[in-house]
Amino acid sequence: MRIAICPGSFDPVTLGHMDIIARACKIFDKVIVAVSVNPEKHTSFSTEERKQMLTIATKSMGLENVEIDVVNGLLADYARSKGANAIVKGLRAMTDFEYEFQMALTNKQLNPELETMFLATSAQNMFLSSSMVKQVAGFGGDIKDFVPECIAQTIKERLSIGGNKNG
């Protein structure tokens, strides 16, 4: 069985994330979407909330070969424990590549059986990031074109300044 991991902070999950996950599901028998826990990073949503949003979003897309999980530690070790042989990462720009290439080489050193596959983001998602979604939602802007519709209200309610829910 070909198992891949799509890791990320998903804070919050965007349509760009969902595009990469859906495309990975076409290539691999099983895709584990791994919510990364980084104690040094401040997140807007708890690990459990991010996991729940991903579960809702993947189910709404009908992705049946997906498992949502949490990785707390080294991704290379996690992949080994799950029997995964690939990591799938989306790339938006060259700046993404530099960081992700460094991570791929590190993971390969830690787990020689693990390959990293880079998928170029779809053109409509080139500009999209969780940080951008947070900023737009924080000021009450409309995020419906940036996040899965099934979780947009949850994201807006959490991120709107002063509870402004007009976005």
Side-chain angles (χ1 to χ4, degrees):
M1 176 181 270
R2 296 171 308 178
I3 302 172
I5 299 173
C6 284
S9 58
F10 305 106
D11 186 46
V13 63
T14 68
L15 291 177
H17 294 130
M18 295 310 301
D19 176 52
I20 297 298
I21 293 166
R23 289 164 54 202
C25 285
K26 293 177 182 175
I27 300 168
F28 294 93
D29 300 314
K30 180 178 181 179
V31 174
I32 302 170
V33 180
V35 178
S36 302
V37 176
N38 182 347
E40 296 177 12
K41 191 173 184 180
H42 172 74
T43 58
S44 297
F45 296 90
S46 71
T47 303
E48 190 54 41
E49 288 171 321
R50 291 179 279 152
K51 186 177 172 185
Q52 183 179 15
M53 285 190 288
L54 281 160
T55 299
I56 292 167
T58 55
K59 283 185 191 295
S60 77
M61 290 180 68
L63 301 176
E64 297 181 8
N65 58 332
V66 170
E67 174 186 330
I68 311 299
D69 200 8
V70 174
V71 59
N72 194 353
L74 292 174
L75 185 58
D77 292 341
Y78 176 81
R80 188 179 292 113
S81 75
K82 292 293 191 174
N85 59 351
I87 296 171
V88 176
K89 296 291 290 187
L91 295 178
R92 292 171 297 184
M94 284 305 292
T95 52
D96 284 350
F97 178 77
E98 292 172 17
Y99 174 76
E100 295 299 346
F101 186 68
Q102 182 181 21
M103 294 303 299
L105 293 175
T106 302
N107 284 321
K108 185 73 169 169
Q109 183 69 33
L110 294 171
N111 181 348
E113 302 301 313
L114 191 59
E115 298 293 339
T116 299
M117 174 186 286
F118 298 116
L119 294 178
T121 189
S122 298
Q124 68 266 27
N125 297 320
M126 289 289 294
F127 67 94
L128 192 52
S129 70
S130 293
S131 298
M132 187 273 306
V133 169
K134 288 181 199 182
Q135 186 172 17
V136 172
F139 287 106
D142 187 354
I143 59 170
K144 71 175 172 34
D145 292 333
F146 309 140
V147 300
E149 181 180 347
C150 56
I151 60 173
Q153 189 62 34
T154 300
I155 294 169
K156 285 192 302 188
E157 288 173 2
R158 168 63 60 86
L159 298 177
S160 292
I161 294 172
N164 179 355
K165 298 171 187 156
N166 295 327

